[in-house]
Amino acid sequence: MCGIIGVVRKSGNAAEEVFQGLLRLEYRGYDSAGMSALDGGKICTVKRGGRVSNLMPEAERLKGSTAIGHTRWATHGEPNDTNAHPHCSGKFSVVHNGIIENYRQLKEELSDGGATFASDTDSEVIVKLIDFYYKGDALKAVARAAARLQGSFALGVLCADREGIIAVKYKSPAVVGFDGNGAVLCSDIPALPASVTSVCVPEDGDIAEITAETVTFYDSKLTPVNRVRRPIFPEQFTLGQGGYPHYMIKEIHEAERTVAETCGGFFRNVDVKRLTEYVRGADRIIITGCGTAYNAGLAAKSYFTEKCGVFCQVEIASELRYSPPKVTPATLVIAVTQSGETADTIEAVSALKRAGARVVAVTNCGYSQITRVAHLVVPVCAGAEVCVAATKSYIGQLAALYLMAKLTEDLFTAQEELTLAGAGIGELLKSEANAEEIARQCAKSSAVFFLGRGLDYAVAVEASLKLKEVSYVFSDGYPAGELKHGTLALIDENTLSVVVICNPALAEKCCNAVSQIISRRGKVAVITCLADVAEKLKASAAVWLLPQCSAVLSPFVSAVALQLVAYKTAVLLGRDPDKPRNLAKSVTVE
Ligand code: AGP
């Protein structure tokens, strides 16, 4: 949801580093990009619609020891050169991530005072406001402007009259990283340059004065505040595509390792005693998240219901926040979020926490916003996930949630089971021929439906999201039992139904669904761990027999199989699976 970066250097060209940083941040949005550099008291700006690479060759001409940059996911105004950030006015240049909810009112007020606006964005009011309040002290002008803004905002501000950057953080993510040559403001830790060895995470409302020598944090009233500087360690997972053609396929291949690392992280970093008290003491569990994270919750619902025997519900965070249920200290709320920055999830669980519930965050990003909201954090150790489509992080979420559900039983067997599930993924990834065959069918179908029962239903919903997100083929995921209640009307010879059958107890009923679809001349592909089901259906459908796996752990294998199908369909159709149109990696606006 837009990425911002700012670099202040003792020596060297900050603009060059900002450009490299924007390439790393592109997963946060890729509708347009821009940068400003401060050189000898003069600000030079380059901005373009489209990808960061469009800034070349002009970006190469920018020089200076201070620079800011932005890669945009458009909320207000179409993605073109004019609406691209930075926005400039007078002596200022500003990059913004977030949404200014009161921008219309501010725009009107500033226009009445004579200001003119070039763009259709909400963000331009910020720079106009700062310029309006500027009477020679940039820090004061930024603080006064920030106090007028409603919504969410992480800002990087350049002023031609002073070296350095002024940053503001409110609800949108921002970190300040340090190395021996100055400081870097950035939306996310993984996008910081490799030279950075420590970070400060500002609190909401903080304003930071960033120079090459020092970084000073203030609260919104400009009283200095202390923010802890913590070391960061090089990623265990290598960044870069590692020889794979796309991040998506690289990250699918990191799923087995993610399961192992997530188990390790659970035993090393989680306060297991307290977490056990939370889980055992819960009379009700509410799992919430968005997109893939919500879908991981759908699978985990079975884990908690079966293993803990406790009532468990799964709620879409953007809905939950507007209809919060009554909670007590015995209500355990589990927020699932890869980025830890998803605004809908943070708002939903913050409200439930205020109402008295216990909150546990399952996240791939330490230091993220959700870690400050939750009472306890369960890490997903997937390493940086660059592809917009969540793959390995979903598998890591399943592992973390499975371990939590097993807290009432036996953690040791849980670890053994997860090792087997990881091995199943490794085995599956040795051959991709079946995925290719199903992908060819997906690519030529007018619609692809994913069906399953129980845990297979949870996998079907996630498979559908993955396929539509990266290939743009119309798709839906639904419980197999619902077929006859409506979706059957859509089945014809141009549609493909992918039926997931990994639970022997429900297999017969799913086979009935296959027959019903074939009778309507619909095409069918079957994903199964069960040899007898494969044998039975191989004459009438494309069947992919997965490595053997217990029903409860089958999502680890079947979901990865369907991630592969989505990836291969996207490639066949010439899509960029890493950067699907209109989407961004972390959704920090509501
Ligand atoms: C997954 O492929 C999607 N890109 C999206 O649904 C994502 O899972 C969702 O936006 C939630 O993100 P989070 O896990 O970072 O909260």
Side-chain angles (χ1 to χ4, degrees):
M1 251 355 59
C2 298
I4 65 166
I5 184 158
V7 175
V8 189
R9 287 302 181 209
K10 292 177 189 163
S11 63
N13 185 7
E16 166 59 25
E17 282 194 65
V18 162
F19 181 77
Q20 294 302 329
L22 287 179
L23 290 174
R24 290 192 298 274
L25 271 172
E26 223 178 5
Y27 62 87
R28 293 187 61 92
Y30 29 86
D31 288 336
S32 62
M35 42 196 285
S36 289
L38 177 61
D39 191 16
K42 199 168 161 267
I43 294 175
C44 296
T45 298
V46 175
K47 48 193 209 165
R48 289 277 172 276
R51 301 261 166 116
V52 171
S53 55
N54 292 355
L55 294 175
M56 283 299 186
E58 287 97 321
E60 240 164 10
R61 291 195 273 275
L62 293 183
K63 300 270 174 293
S65 56
T66 303
I68 54 174
H70 187 270
T71 178
R72 178 168 183 243
W73 183 82
T75 59
H76 296 69
E78 66 177 62
N80 57 26
D81 292 2
T82 317
N83 290 334
H85 297 215
H87 292 288
C88 301
S89 182
K91 302 203 170 211
F92 293 91
S93 173
V94 172
V95 288
H96 166 223
N97 167 32
I99 286 187
I100 304 305
E101 287 167 358
N102 59 338
Y103 85 98
R104 282 193 189 85
Q105 175 201 325
L106 292 170
K107 202 166 176 175
E108 223 174 271
E109 184 184 316
L110 288 159
S111 302
D112 289 348
T116 53
F117 289 82
S119 77
D120 306 316
T121 66
D122 54 335
S123 310
E124 198 180 358
V125 297
I126 304 169
V127 73
K128 296 285 175 187
L129 260 186
I130 296 172
D131 191 20
F132 174 77
Y133 286 124
Y134 185 53
K135 305 281 178 280
D137 184 334
L139 191 64
K140 276 193 184 148
V142 170
R144 287 191 72 184
R148 300 287 318 277
L149 304 176
Q150 287 166 14
S152 57
F153 43 92
L155 308 176
V157 182
L158 284 189
C159 173
D161 288 344
R162 65 203 307 276
E163 281 299 315
I165 294 169
I166 299 171
V168 186
K169 181 212 165 342
Y170 184 71
K171 287 194 172 177
S172 295
V175 296
V176 181
F178 304 85
D179 57 19
N181 190 26
V184 181
L185 165 74
C186 193
S187 294
D188 282 329
I189 290 178
L192 285 166
S195 56
V196 167
T197 50
S198 59
V199 291
C200 278
V201 183
E203 299 284 328
D204 275 344
D206 279 4
I207 299 175
E209 219 177 354
I210 305 171
T211 70
E213 309 298 334
T214 55
V215 177
T216 313
F217 291 92
Y218 304 90
D219 66 12
S220 57
K221 305 263 180 311
L222 292 183
T223 308
V225 287
N226 191 27
R227 295 291 170 244
V228 185
R229 195 160 145 177
R230 310 169 218 226
I232 54 167
F233 302 101
E235 280 283 342
Q236 309 108 318
F237 288 79
T238 50
L239 287 173
Q241 284 175 219
Y244 288 94
H246 298 101
Y247 277 105
M248 183 171 180
I249 185 70
K250 175 190 177 233
E251 289 165 359
I252 289 172
H253 277 266
E254 288 173 344
E256 180 183 0
R257 194 159 145 212
T258 296
V259 174
E261 298 281 345
T262 301
C263 278
F266 191 88
F267 291 104
R268 262 194 323 274
N269 302 323
V270 174
D271 182 345
V272 172
K273 191 165 168 272
R274 218 164 120 215
L275 187 62
T276 309
E277 278 166 25
Y278 281 17
V279 175
R280 289 208 172 135
D283 61 8
R284 176 189 186 188
I285 295 177
I286 302 172
I287 307 178
T288 191
C290 300
T292 291
Y294 166 81
N295 293 342
L298 278 183
K301 179 182 172 172
S302 312
Y303 297 159
F304 284 103
T305 313
E306 279 167 32
K307 311 273 170 217
C308 310
V310 62
F311 176 73
C312 178
Q313 65 191 94
V314 191
E315 301 289 340
I316 291 176
S318 56
E319 292 293 316
L320 179 64
R321 55 174 305 205
Y322 297 111
S323 52
K326 277 219 166 70
V327 294
T328 71
T331 311
L332 175 60
V333 175
I334 305 175
V336 186
T337 164
Q338 186 282 132
S339 62
E341 302 288 355
T342 299
D344 288 318
T345 307
I346 290 166
E347 292 298 329
V349 301
S350 301
L352 296 180
K353 184 185 175 190
R354 284 194 296 273
R358 281 168 167 170
V359 176
V360 173
V362 174
T363 183
N364 194 34
C365 295
Y367 301 139
S368 59
Q369 196 103 327
I370 198 76
T371 62
R372 276 169 274 155
V373 173
H375 294 105
L376 270 181
V377 175
V378 175
V380 168
C381 305
E385 189 175 65
V386 176
C387 175
V388 166
T391 54
K392 60 177 178 172
S393 66
Y394 170 77
I395 298 298
Q397 287 163 355
L398 292 185
L401 290 161
Y402 189 70
L403 287 164
M404 280 183 70
K406 288 283 274 193
L407 281 170
T408 53
E409 287 184 353
D410 172 14
L411 270 185
F412 183 66
T413 48
Q415 201 179 5
E416 282 182 341
E417 287 171 305
L418 288 174
T419 306
L420 282 177
I425 297 172
E427 187 61 32
L428 173 96
L429 289 172
K430 283 186 190 149
S431 160
E432 298 182 5
N434 288 289
E436 263 148 34
E437 189 192 331
I438 299 173
R440 269 194 294 278
Q441 291 201 38
C442 288
K444 61 181 188 213
S445 298
S446 59
V448 179
F449 300 107
F450 291 87
L451 297 71
R453 283 175 183 259
L455 272 172
D456 295 335
Y457 157 61
V459 171
V461 174
E462 170 56 12
S464 166
L465 171 59
K466 211 88 307 166
L467 182 77
K468 73 178 83 149
E469 180 180 23
V470 298
S471 74
Y472 319 150
V473 172
F474 176 80
S475 170
D476 195 12
Y478 60 95
E482 284 292 291
L483 173 69
K484 52 196 177 297
H485 297 292
T487 307
L488 207 49
L490 297 175
I491 302 295
D492 64 19
E493 63 277 19
N494 299 314
T495 63
L496 174 68
S497 296
V498 180
V499 188
V500 188
I501 313 177
C502 291
N503 184 343
L506 303 170
E508 200 47 53
K509 291 223 158 56
C510 288
C511 290
N512 292 344
V514 171
S515 304
Q516 287 159 16
I517 297 164
I518 290 171
S519 310
R520 273 84 185 172
R521 291 189 292 145
K523 308 266 184 320
V524 175
V526 172
I527 306 283
T528 182
C529 298
L530 310 170
D532 55 335
V533 169
E535 191 53 36
K536 183 170 164 183
L537 296 176
K538 71 177 186 207
S540 46
V543 174
W544 185 355
L545 180 59
L546 307 176
Q548 263 198 341
C549 201
S550 66
V552 75
L553 295 168
S554 62
F556 288 86
V557 180
S558 57
V560 172
L562 291 165
Q563 289 171 358
L564 270 182
V565 169
Y567 170 73
K568 288 185 181 291
T569 309
V571 173
L572 274 174
L573 292 170
R575 319 293 191 215
D576 177 351
D578 289 342
K579 297 190 179 79
R581 68 183 176 205
N582 306 335
L583 299 181
K585 185 71 181 163
S586 40
V587 186
T588 51
V589 294
E590 293 163 40

